[in-house]
Amino acid sequence: MGLELARSQSPVRLHIRCENCLRESSRLLEPPPGAELPDDPCALAEEGYLDNLPFFCGHCEGVIGRLFAISGGKRYG
Ligand SMILES: [Zn+2]
């Protein structure tokens, strides 16, 4: 919490809602070496970071999750 790592490779926290039980969970997405993660869900998807992203709901064991928000990652300004 409260990490100040401006311009360094900071992981993005993905907020995911289970398609089955609709509970929210989050997980960290670590940037690949030498790359920065966009802080926009659409950009993340377009760049392929969300492909093959494993999801496992700890509540209902569902495996289908829908990303609804992200936090962290590259900062602008
Ligand atoms: Zn679930």
Side-chain angles (χ1 to χ4, degrees):
M1 296 302 112
L3 292 175
E4 289 293 337
L5 297 172
R7 298 192 58 80
S8 67
Q9 296 171 27
S10 51
V12 167
R13 182 165 290 278
L14 306 174
H15 300 272
I16 302 169
R17 180 175 288 117
C18 175
E19 281 282 276
N20 186 45
C21 70
L22 303 181
R23 284 187 228 252
E24 297 173 6
S25 61
S26 67
R27 56 171 296 155
L28 282 178
L29 178 64
E30 297 284 346
E36 284 188 279
L37 294 172
D39 61 356
D40 177 75
C42 294
L44 273 176
E46 286 174 4
E47 296 183 22
Y49 288 113
L50 304 183
D51 295 345
N52 304 314
L53 189 68
F55 174 78
F56 183 81
C57 179
H59 300 284
C60 73
E61 302 187 353
V63 294
I64 302 174
R66 189 170 295 276
L67 181 72
F68 66 93
I70 65 175
S71 57
K74 187 167 58 179
R75 294 187 183 185
Y76 297 92

